[in-house]
C-alpha cells in the first residue's frame, strides 16, 4: 500500500468517526465572498438585520475554515508519526552519534520510497496549515465587527 492509499484510509476512518458522532458538516457558502469583499460604503448601506445575519454567516465560515485546518493538522501529525515509524530503526545507519538528527532523518527518508511519499504529503499538509494560519481569527474578528455594527442605531 502506498502513502496516498494509507492516508486515504486514515482520513476515511476519521470521516466515519465524525459521522458516527453526528458532527454536522459545514458547507461552503457562496455569500461569503460578497461579505468579505464589502467596502466600508457597502457596509454602511446594510441594514442592522443584514449585518447581524452577515456576522452569523462569517462565524459559520470561520468554523468551516477551522474544520479544514484541523483536518490538515491531523494529516500533518499522521504523516510525521508515520515517517518516524518507518525510519526509526534505520536512523542509526546514517552517520555516527555526532551526526545531527536532521541529517539522519532526511537521509533515511531519501532511502525509503514510502517515507519519501509520505514526506511529500507532510509538506503539502504543512503548507496548507500555514496558509490557513490566522485566517480563522481574522474572519471571526470581521464577524464581531459586523455584529457590533448591527447593534448601533
Amino acid at each position: 500500500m502506498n502513502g496516498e492509499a494509507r492516508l486515504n484510509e486514515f482520513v476515511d476512518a476519521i470521516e466515519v468517526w465524525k459521522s458516527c458522532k453526528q458532527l454536522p458538516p459545514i458547507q461552503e457558502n457562496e455569500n461569503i465572498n460578497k461579505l468579505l469583499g464589502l467596502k466600508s460604503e457597502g457596509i454602511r448601506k446594510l441594514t442592522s438585520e443584514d449585518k447581524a445575519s452577515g456576522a452569523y454567516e462569517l462565524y459559520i465560515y470561520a468554523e468551516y475554515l477551522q474544520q479544514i485546518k484541523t483536518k490538515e493538522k491531523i494529516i500533518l501529525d499522521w504523516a510525521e508519526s508515520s515517517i518516524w515509524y518507518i525510519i526509526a530503526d534505520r536512523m542509526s545507519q546514517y552517520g555516527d552519534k555526532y551526526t545531527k538528527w536532521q541529517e539522519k532523518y532526511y537521509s533515511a527518508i531519501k532511502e525509503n520510497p514510502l517515507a519519501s511519499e509520505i514526506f511529500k504529503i507532510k509538506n503539502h499538509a504543512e503548507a496548507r496549515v500555514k496558509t490557513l494560519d490566522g485566517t480563522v481569527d481574522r474572519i471571526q474578528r470581521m464577524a464581531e465587527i459586523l455584529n457590533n455594527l448591527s447593534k448601533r442605531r
Side-chain angles (χ1 to χ4, degrees), residues 2 8 54 59 80 82 90-91 114 123 144 148 151:
N2 67 13
N8 289 336
Y59 280 123
E80 184 66 31
S82 296
R90 305 215 191 290
M91 289 278 288
L114 179 57
N123 284 339
E144 289 169 7
N148 289 339
K151 295 175 185 175

Side-chain angles (χ1 to χ4, degrees), residues 2-3 9-10 12 16 18 24 46 52 66 70 72 77 79 96 99 106 114 118-119 121 127-128 138 143 145 149:
N2 67 13
E9 181 181 312
F10 177 74
D12 289 344
V16 167
K18 283 172 56 178
L46 294 174
Q66 185 62 50
T70 300
E72 293 301 325
D77 292 343
D96 55 18
T99 306
Y106 292 112
L114 179 57
I118 294 174
F119 187 71
I121 292 168
R128 290 187 289 260
R138 287 189 298 273
I145 291 169
L149 287 173

Side-chain angles (χ1 to χ4, degrees), residues 13-132:
I14 292 170
E15 293 302 321
V16 167
W17 176 83
K18 283 172 56 178
S19 67
C20 289
K21 299 296 180 192
Q22 298 178 348
L23 298 174
I26 297 174
Q27 303 298 322
E28 292 184 52
N29 183 342
E30 296 172 7
N31 196 32
I32 293 300
N33 288 334
K34 293 176 188 173
L35 287 168
L36 293 175
L38 280 175
K39 305 281 186 220
S40 59
E41 185 179 311
I43 292 172
R44 277 189 230 112
K45 290 179 182 178
L46 294 174
T47 66
S48 290
E49 188 175 303
D50 289 340
K51 290 174 186 173
S53 65
Y56 180 74
E57 288 186 37
L58 286 174
Y59 280 123
I60 291 173
Y61 185 63
E63 180 62 25
Y64 170 74
L65 290 177
Q66 185 62 50
Q67 284 183 356
I68 292 172
K69 184 177 176 182
T70 300
K71 186 175 182 179
E72 293 301 325
K73 280 186 176 183
I74 289 168
I75 291 170
L76 180 60
D77 292 343
W78 170 85
E80 184 66 31
S81 63
S82 296
I83 290 169
W84 279 108
Y85 180 79
I86 292 167
I87 67 169
D89 59 340
R90 305 215 191 290
M91 289 278 288
S92 61
Q93 297 174 359
Y94 301 98
D96 55 18
K97 65 181 182 179
Y98 300 108
T99 306
K100 292 182 180 179
W101 73 267
Q102 292 94 337
E103 291 177 39
K104 293 179 181 182
Y105 176 80
Y106 292 112
S107 296
I109 289 173
K110 273 186 190 177
E111 297 297 319
N112 188 305
L114 179 57
S116 295
E117 197 172 319
I118 294 174
F119 187 71
K120 288 177 189 173
I121 292 168
K122 176 188 174 231
N123 284 339
H124 291 162
E126 193 169 32
R128 290 187 289 260
V129 168
K130 285 180 181 178
T131 300
L132 291 173

